[in-house]
Amino acid sequence: MHSFLGETTGMLPPAPIVSAAEYLLTRYRMRRKRTNEANFRLGRSRLAVLTQPHRGYSQHEFGETEFFSTEQSGIYTARRTLKELITRGSLTYLGGHRLVAYRESAEHVEIDLCVGNDDVIKTIRARHLLLGCGTMQTARLVLLNKQEFGRKLPFIDHPPTLLPLFIPKKFGAAFPSQSFPIQLVATLGGLARSNMISFYYPGALLWADLLADIPLPLNSAIRLLPNLIGGMLVAQIWETSKPVAGNQLSVESDGSIRIDYPHRLSQGNMIQKLLAALRPLGAYSLQRLASMSPPGWGFHHAACLPMRHYPGPFETHIDGRLWDSKRVRIVDGSVLPSLPAKNHSLTLMANAARIADETLKCGY
């Protein structure tokens, strides 16, 4: 994937690759010229995972429990950066506090924090408030602050489509001693929307979740599944998402969030082209086996308070400020006018850092 992401020096070795993924990648490399003519690109995935000790952190154990816990060595989460900043004395962290309201004046912002599980309110003053509570909660706080109950804001969800892939040549392959769920990444050109496809090894999933999808009696499915796993991957398909009229977020009078999401992207044409690209590589599936995740399942949300050069109500300036604000800025996904195919975590981090720099330079 260097042709898309560029060369990077000093990269750690990649995560262990399972037999099915290695078979698919080897076949792709053998047929690359012909496959590339079909606008299909396949490669190893870049991961924020330590495959060897680095900067005082131990390597990841690759024990196939990544879906169930974030408290594991060798996996980067924002909590690691937070701990480093606290250790260096670069910030004061108030854990166990919940933002409930804010009020802006010409000189400062007053922030009401609820302490712990009690209803005790503590008020602090700051020169600026940078809101990064996640797209939905940030939008909720802004709507509550303006007492705009029932007002509709644009909302983008990003639910993926999951497609099981079967590689008959690898049925019955031995289970790996170490593995990581994300094995390969791909993209498929020649379509109306940009896309990214992650190929997962299902060994890290709960087998109970997989058994229900095997069209056999349960006792037969239990006997069959161990032989299938070695020759299975799951394609997780993501596409660029933009606002669609009718897909919206609002806040009810009791403060709860309401999401209306009647319009979903159709990925039928995408799936057909993907299956056609995979068949020469020895991977097979059926379009009817694809499952589209329901709204809210995709983890990536955006567009409630989108950035504009000339923002209107409930939009933001390009330096993160709310349309009518001098000292309140938004730093999370709610300012993104659209969602890329995936991943946008680094985009969010870079944009938040940019807005923080703009705050320092604003001069007030």
Side-chain angles (χ1 to χ4, degrees):
M1 303 301 287
H2 286 163
S3 59
F4 294 93
L5 302 175
E7 295 282 355
T8 301
T9 59
M11 288 184 66
L12 298 181
I17 190 168
V18 300
S19 181
E22 188 172 27
Y23 176 84
L24 200 65
L25 187 58
T26 299
R27 297 269 292 181
Y28 168 77
R29 288 169 174 165
M30 292 170 54
R31 299 165 172 259
R32 180 176 296 171
K33 183 176 180 180
R34 191 184 315 170
T35 307
N36 287 356
E37 290 174 355
N39 292 313
F40 181 68
R41 303 291 190 276
L42 180 70
R44 301 290 293 272
S45 180
R46 291 182 173 180
L47 304 167
V49 178
L50 296 182
T51 54
Q52 60 189 35
H54 183 65
R55 289 183 56 217
Y57 292 101
S58 59
Q59 69 187 55
H60 185 51
E61 296 180 356
F62 298 104
E64 297 188 348
T65 56
E66 293 80 6
F67 284 127
F68 309 103
S69 172
T70 59
E71 293 292 332
Q72 301 183 62
S73 62
I75 296 182
Y76 176 80
T77 66
R79 182 178 298 177
R80 174 178 296 183
T81 299
L82 179 61
K83 288 180 178 178
E84 290 181 356
L85 291 172
I86 294 171
T87 301
R88 293 205 305 257
S90 301
L91 60 81
T92 300
Y93 178 67
L94 300 178
H97 291 63
R98 176 169 52 88
L99 174 63
V100 294
Y102 62 88
R103 294 168 298 280
E104 182 177 359
S105 69
E107 293 78 25
H108 59 260
V109 182
E110 283 193 341
I111 305 165
D112 292 340
L113 300 172
C114 185
V115 184
N117 295 322
D118 301 326
D119 292 329
V120 178
I121 299 295
K122 177 167 66 174
T123 300
I124 62 175
R125 286 185 177 182
R127 283 192 297 167
H128 300 275
L129 172 63
L130 277 62
L131 281 174
C133 305
T135 296
M136 290 188 285
Q137 290 301 326
T138 292
R140 174 180 177 271
L141 283 167
V142 173
L143 288 169
L144 288 175
N145 180 261
K146 300 295 184 182
Q147 295 292 292
E148 288 276 3
F149 301 106
R151 184 184 184 100
K152 310 294 186 182
L153 299 182
F155 179 70
I156 302 176
D157 194 8
H158 209 208
T161 294
L162 301 179
L163 178 69
L165 300 174
F166 303 96
I167 304 170
K169 288 282 188 180
K170 304 309 296 183
F171 285 165
F175 295 118
S177 58
Q178 291 183 321
S179 72
F180 192 79
I182 304 174
Q183 289 285 306
L184 302 171
V185 65
T187 186
L188 187 61
L191 298 168
R193 296 187 298 269
S194 298
N195 57 75
M196 192 186 101
I197 307 147
S198 299
F199 292 89
Y200 281 73
Y201 171 62
L205 300 175
L206 292 174
W207 285 20
D209 294 338
L210 300 173
L211 288 171
D213 294 327
I214 297 178
L216 294 172
L218 186 59
N219 58 346
S220 299
I222 291 173
R223 290 195 297 269
L224 178 63
L225 187 58
N227 295 304
L228 289 178
I229 289 290
M232 282 186 65
L233 294 172
V234 178
Q236 193 176 56
I237 304 167
W238 307 82
E239 292 192 90
T240 300
S241 298
K242 297 182 179 181
V244 177
N247 292 352
Q248 52 203 13
L249 176 148
S250 59
V251 171
E252 304 285 286
S253 58
D254 63 357
S256 61
I257 295 174
R258 171 174 176 148
I259 294 175
D260 296 291
Y261 212 85
H263 304 294
R264 295 286 305 275
L265 294 174
S266 172
Q267 293 183 322
N269 185 43
M270 163 76 169
I271 294 172
Q272 290 178 7
K273 289 184 177 295
L274 176 61
L275 291 175
L278 289 172
R279 278 194 291 271
L281 307 183
Y284 306 91
S285 190
L286 298 171
Q287 185 168 339
R288 66 172 179 267
L289 296 179
S291 60
M292 293 190 71
S293 307
W297 195 88
F299 314 118
H300 312 141
H301 309 124
C304 294
L305 305 163
M307 287 186 291
R308 308 287 188 210
H309 284 286
Y310 305 101
F314 292 92
E315 296 178 341
T316 51
H317 295 268
I318 59 173
D319 62 358
R321 288 177 296 119
L322 287 171
W323 80 100
D324 62 347
S325 175
K326 180 180 178 182
R327 297 182 179 274
V328 179
R329 302 172 193 252
I330 312 300
V331 297
D332 57 28
S334 52
V335 302
L336 299 182
S338 63
L339 276 177
K342 199 179 180 275
N343 291 324
H344 68 302
S345 298
L346 293 178
T347 303
L348 291 177
M349 294 165 69
N351 189 55
R354 180 187 65 84
I355 292 173
D357 287 341
E358 292 289 334
T359 305
L360 290 174
K361 294 186 298 186
C362 72
Y364 55 82

